[in-house]
Every structure is written in structure tokens, then in C-alpha cells.
Amino acid sequence: MSAARGGRAGAVVTGVGTCLPETVVDNDEVSRHLDTDHAWIHSRTGIERRRRVSPGTTTGDLAVTAGAAALKSAGRDDCDLVLLATTTPDRRCPATAPRVASRLGLRAAAAFDLAAVCSGFVYGLSVADAMITAGTCDRALVIGADVYSSIVDPDDRGTAVVFGDGAGAVLLERGDTGDPGAVLHTELGSDGTGDELITIPPDGAYLTMRGSDVYTRAVTTMAESARSTAAHAGWDLADVDAFVGHQANLRILTSVAKRLRLPPERVVSNIADVANTAAASIPLALADAAAQGRIGSGDRLLLTAFGGGLTWGSAAVVWSGAEPVQDQRS
Ligand code: UT7
């Protein structure tokens, strides 16, 4: 369904691109090294397999490929902002985004990293939307890229089965809130009293997650955030064509959809194939849904994420009908 031309300047999504590592690791392979099995992983999470980078491949490498794919999807070859949401930057200093911008051939684009863990993509979308609307930039690549295989303890069955590597990106351009692709409303939030629930402790090398505590918070907060965002966009929940939530756990998505009274067929999920890819999760799900024809031009999309921080965010977006470009690398 097409929104009427809104007449207000805003940002529109004009392209979507992804990059997944070629190596597929299925549940049986994970179970060879850990006290777990396919039945447990699949029934508790919906995950069947995940992708893993080859040694030497970094977040920046995946981000460059996904960024190039999003530019190609939009039929563009430049932009003036690169915003990279990640928990696994290539180095602690400097940020990874400037090098990504240079490798994409973008001269003098503003470029910075954004740290909001699994909510990073929605945070990035919101920031880029605001910067475009304010006139700070004209065209922005928002990339979510993470290589959690570099921070997950391979011996911790609570996290090792859950996460996968990947990157996804969208191109945002100046437009009108009535245009296909329009970002109509975004909302962000945080609660730092929960910062211990997902963390790399100061003296630790690996990520720790109190999964069941996060689970409960994720369900209630994602439902509230999604409901409020739809209302601010002027949508009835019944009019939402697709709910594109952060792919942390299929049961979380199902529970949130139930709270929102959204029928299961409106819930987009690709967690079976890619697992939880953190900041990359929502653009990867968007691209898969578009590639499969599950979302089309004018559809009302409700994007909602939740993750470490704790952080969360939602966005109401009218899909542009952009053809996704989906790439791979080692
Ligand atoms: O992306 C950022 C946000 N993250 C999330 O939203 C993640 C939210 N949390 C989850 O998705 C789930 O909590 C997990 C998938 C991480 C864990 O599933 P769960 O159903 O919450 O399990 P649990 O942590 O409550 O553990 C239940 C049992 C425990 O055994 P006991 O104590 O009952 O004997 C665990 O030791 O399951 C055990 N367990 C496992 N068993 C087999 C935990 N992990 C595994 C495993 N295989 N991989």
C-alpha cells in the first residue's frame, strides 16, 4: 500500500546490500565441539546454521562488500556519510568506518562507528535519518557489520550456538516522507542498569550473555517500542505489512508478534540460515525478505531491535521496492 506524498523533507531508503561469509557452520558441526545438539538449538532458537569468516577476514572487509552492494542496489556510486554499527571494529582506534569509506572510493565522506550492540543498525538508521533531514548530509550508507566469531568463547554453549558473522547495509537519500522508502519515525532507548547482561568483562576476552534475563527484557521492550513507533507513524498495527525484528531468537520474534497481534506470516525471519548476526541482523533480514518477494514497494515495515547496553530501537519504514544485492566473501 502506498503512503500519500507527505510533503515533509526526510530520508528514504533507496538500496539494500549484504555480505555473508561463504563458510556455513550447521548445528551438527557446532555440536561436535560442545555439549549441545541440533534439536536443542533449533527448538530453543530457530537456528539451523550460521556463517563464519575465514581467518583474516574482518568486520571492515564484510562492511566494504555490504556497502558496495547497497550502493549498487540504489544505482549510486557515492555518498557523503558512512555510519558503521559494530561491536567488533577492526581496531580499538581509529574507527573502522573511515577505512571502509576509503575502500569504497568515497573521498572525504564523514565516517564514524556507532556502538549500540544488536540495536546498532536501528540506531544508525535513526542518526542518518536525522542528519539527512537536518541537512548535515545528503546520502548516507548505514552499515551493520559484526564478526562475533572473534569475541564468542567457542567453549560457551550459551553463546557459541547463537551468533553468526555477517554484514548488511542500506543507502539513505534525501527525499520526501511520502516517497516509497521513507523513514517515517524512529525511536531509540537504553537502560544501562542492565549493562552486565551482555558484556565483555574488562578482564575477559569473550562475550558473556545472561540469555534468559535478556530474553524476558527483549520480548517486553521490543513489543512496547514497536507499538509506540507504529503509533507515532500514524499506523494501526493491523496495517503493518511486515515486522522485521532483530533476529536473536525465533521465539522472541513470535512472542513479540503475538503481543502486537500480528499474524505469523507478517513476521520476517531468516534466523534459521544466519543465526544472530548482531548489528547486521535487520538489514540481512530485509534483504532476504525483498529477494523472496515477501516485501514489496509501498509495504509498511516495522523494524525493532534489542541488545547489549541494554539498548533498543524501532523504525517505521515504507519499503521502496529496491532490489537487494547479496554478496559473499571468504
Ligand atoms: O542479540 C542480543 C540480544 N540477545 C538476545 O535477545 C538473546 C536472548 N536469549 C536467548 O535467545 C536464549 O536465552 C538463549 C537461546 C541464549 C538460551 O535459551 P534459554 O531457553 O533461555 O535457555 P537457558 O539459558 O534458560 O538455559 C536452559 C537450560 C540450562 O540447563 P539447566 O540449568 O536447566 O540444566 C542451560 O544450561 O539449557 C541449557 N543450555 C543448553 N543446553 C543445550 C544452554 N545452552 C544450551 C545449549 N545446548 N546450547
Side-chain angles (χ1 to χ4, degrees):
M1 161 185 351
S2 279
R5 211 171 154 77
R8 180 169 63 80
V12 294
V13 178
T14 55
V16 58
T18 62
C19 174
L20 285 171
E22 284 161 1
T23 304
V24 178
V25 181
D26 66 17
N27 288 346
D28 288 338
E29 190 169 340
V30 170
S31 306
R32 269 187 230 126
H33 311 287
L34 282 169
D35 181 16
T36 187
D37 54 51
H38 170 75
W40 192 97
I41 300 168
H42 191 244
S43 64
R44 295 289 184 120
T45 69
I47 296 166
E48 294 177 21
R49 57 192 76 83
R50 72 282 297 139
R51 302 294 184 102
R52 190 170 295 160
V53 295
S54 302
T57 298
T58 68
T59 292
D61 296 329
L62 300 184
V64 168
T65 305
L71 284 165
K72 188 172 173 195
S73 162
R76 302 288 192 189
D77 56 13
D78 66 357
C79 64
D80 55 0
L81 170 66
V82 174
L83 204 165
L84 174 63
T86 188
T87 304
T88 57
D90 291 0
R91 310 184 220 178
R92 284 180 66 187
C93 179
T96 304
R99 184 89 183 117
V100 169
S102 293
R103 290 173 65 189
L104 287 168
L106 306 169
R107 287 194 59 236
F112 62 96
D113 291 1
L114 188 154
V117 198
C118 294
S119 310
F121 176 77
V122 175
Y123 264 66
L125 192 71
S126 181
V127 170
D129 171 41
M131 288 177 70
I132 288 172
T133 304
T136 313
C137 64
D138 293 322
R139 201 179 287 161
L141 257 185
V142 179
I143 309 174
D146 270 312
V147 174
Y148 266 48
S149 58
S150 66
I151 56 169
V152 159
D153 178 354
D155 297 326
D156 173 16
R157 67 179 182 172
T159 52
V161 306
V162 175
F163 291 100
D165 301 335
V170 295
L171 191 71
L172 283 180
E173 305 191 43
R174 185 183 307 285
D176 181 281
T177 51
D179 291 337
V183 179
L184 295 186
H185 184 73
T186 62
E187 270 182 39
L188 307 175
S190 77
D191 176 5
T193 64
D195 64 355
E196 298 294 327
L197 298 183
I198 299 174
T199 186
I200 299 178
D203 54 351
Y206 292 126
L207 184 88
T208 62
M209 177 166 77
R210 291 194 356 226
S212 56
D213 295 333
V214 175
Y215 187 107
T216 315
R217 300 278 299 261
V219 171
T220 51
T221 310
M222 287 173 78
E224 272 169 32
S225 172
R227 190 187 300 282
S228 166
T229 297
H232 278 90
W235 296 350
D236 283 338
L237 283 166
D239 295 333
V240 170
D241 295 299
F243 174 65
V244 191
H246 167 52
Q247 308 284 307
N249 189 316
L250 187 56
R251 291 189 299 136
I252 293 178
L253 296 174
T254 306
S255 299
V256 173
K258 212 177 246 174
R259 283 173 183 241
L260 301 176
R261 295 182 198 279
L262 289 173
E265 61 273 15
R266 298 210 192 146
V267 178
V268 167
S269 183
N270 64 349
I271 193 170
D273 289 327
V274 297
N276 181 346
T277 54
S281 143
I282 286 182
L284 281 170
L286 266 181
D288 273 351
Q292 291 160 11
R294 287 199 59 191
I295 57 173
S297 180
D299 278 359
R300 297 175 174 203
L301 313 183
L302 195 48
L303 279 44
T304 300
F306 184 88
L310 299 169
T311 55
W312 58 88
S314 295
V317 177
V318 181
W319 189 239
S320 65
E323 285 291 326
V325 175
Q326 298 178 285
D327 216 335
Q328 296 204 60
R329 58 158 300 145
S330 62

